[in-house]
Amino acid sequence: MPTIRVVAPAKINLALHVTGKRADGYHLLDSHVVFARDAHDTLEVCPAQDMELIVDGPFADGVPTDARNLCWRAAEAFGAPVSIRLTKALPHAAGIGGGSADAAAVLRAMEALFERRFTGDAALLGADVPVCLLSRSARMSGIGEIVAPVKSAEFHAVLVNPGVDVPTPNVFRALASRQNAPLADLPDDGVDLAWLKAQRNDLQAPAMACAPVIATCLDALKDAELARMSGSGATCFGLYSDGPAASAAAERLRTRHPNWWVTASVLR
Ligand code: C5P
């Protein structure tokens, strides 16, 4: 059987409201999620005698190559051994769903390879896996298991990560209020900048308390039309009027902060 190459685009929460907490400790979310056209990991997947995972690329360091990796667990959930080469171009523990996007990409690749649908529960792998399986603009709710496609404008963005790992459970623990208003009603013509500006990321303040450099990132993006954190951080995004404005902002940020991960991308 052939090797299948798939991409795992970065997931960006353009808005993320925390609306409650379940008895099992998981939080109820209401989030507008989009995906980066130009920032992704890459995976090559082929059938194998035994499970195998090779990780390379600029962010390979520290990525497990066994069952601790969500890719591995996704293949096991699909139910067939495969050999996976994962090229990590996205920072991890970064609020852009890297591990979840990789797991969803493995499931997509295996569906094509084995010509059958994945019938398991993607949410059991991780709260962001269902939306990453859809991999297009969506409203995500529940603890992440409820996903509905949503019309959204395409945004020209700069993504910035200062290189600090922010563990998601720590950020949720530092949250002051767990009962916040859900997203406002979606505009009839699809999500636009004005609507986004009126929403929030409820995890931004607690993440900034865990990692103050996030405030520095947001400050560095203050020339953007909207600057906000994604997920539980630390990656922040700035939205710009068009592609050239985003590219120019990315160039300026790379010069000023050579140790940060900075990339311009269309979000859709
Ligand atoms: O499901 P995932 O592995 O991405 O979640 C990581 C951690 O984030 C969970 O162990 C939990 O502490 C927290 N979390 C949460 N509510 C969610 C999603 C994640 O409290 N809806």
Side-chain angles (χ1 to χ4, degrees):
M1 268 201 262
T3 296
I4 292 208
R5 186 176 174 280
V6 280
V7 295
K11 165 229 72 166
I12 308 295
N13 304 88
L14 289 179
L16 196 171
H17 295 198
V18 179
T19 57
K21 191 179 178 191
R22 296 198 322 196
D24 65 1
Y26 271 80
H27 292 78
L28 297 171
L29 310 173
D30 194 8
S31 180
H32 179 57
V33 181
V34 292
F35 291 84
R37 187 190 68 189
D38 316 294
H40 57 80
D41 292 339
T42 305
L43 298 93
E44 287 173 1
V45 184
C46 65
Q49 207 58 26
D50 297 300
M51 273 301 302
E52 177 188 42
L53 174 59
I54 298 161
V55 184
D56 59 17
F59 286 100
D61 260 14
V63 177
T65 56
D66 54 26
R68 286 170 298 166
N69 193 304
L70 221 46
C71 284
W72 187 293
R73 297 213 290 275
E76 283 183 339
F78 192 89
V82 281
S83 169
I84 303 168
R85 174 182 289 277
L86 165 61
T87 304
K88 283 287 324 162
L90 302 176
H92 23 93
I96 52 175
S100 303
D102 296 342
V106 165
L107 295 176
R108 275 201 301 275
M110 292 182 77
E111 287 189 328
L113 273 175
F114 296 98
E115 294 179 346
R116 66 175 168 90
R117 300 301 306 236
F118 172 63
T119 52
D121 185 353
L124 287 179
L125 291 165
D128 280 336
V129 179
V131 79
C132 288
L133 258 183
L134 187 68
S135 219
R136 51 158 294 194
S137 141
R139 183 171 186 171
M140 182 182 100
S141 56
I143 63 162
E145 81 284 15
I146 304 169
V147 169
V150 155
K151 212 164 121 196
S152 182
E154 288 198 346
F155 297 101
H156 298 276
V158 176
L159 308 177
V160 171
N161 183 283
V164 290
D165 277 10
V166 188
T168 304
N170 299 11
V171 175
F172 276 107
R173 261 198 303 276
L175 189 64
S177 163
R178 293 181 167 77
Q179 309 277 349
N180 306 292
L183 296 176
D185 289 343
L186 295 169
D188 289 339
D189 294 337
V191 166
D192 56 18
L193 183 64
W195 181 85
L196 277 179
K197 281 185 173 177
Q199 315 307 315
R200 323 174 295 275
N201 181 345
D202 289 329
L203 298 180
Q204 189 168 298
M208 270 165 26
C210 296
V213 68
I214 292 168
T216 315
C217 289
L218 291 168
D219 189 57
L221 289 165
K222 65 173 181 286
D223 62 341
E225 292 178 315
L226 171 65
R228 184 171 285 158
M229 193 184 80
S230 175
S232 58
T235 304
C236 297
F237 62 84
L239 302 185
Y240 292 85
S241 54
D242 52 33
S247 298
E251 263 323 299
R252 283 195 300 277
L253 283 159
R254 273 190 209 105
T255 308
R256 245 178 268 153
H257 302 280
N259 298 324
W260 288 3
W261 177 77
V262 177
T263 196
S265 177
V266 167
L267 304 181
R268 58 183 183 185

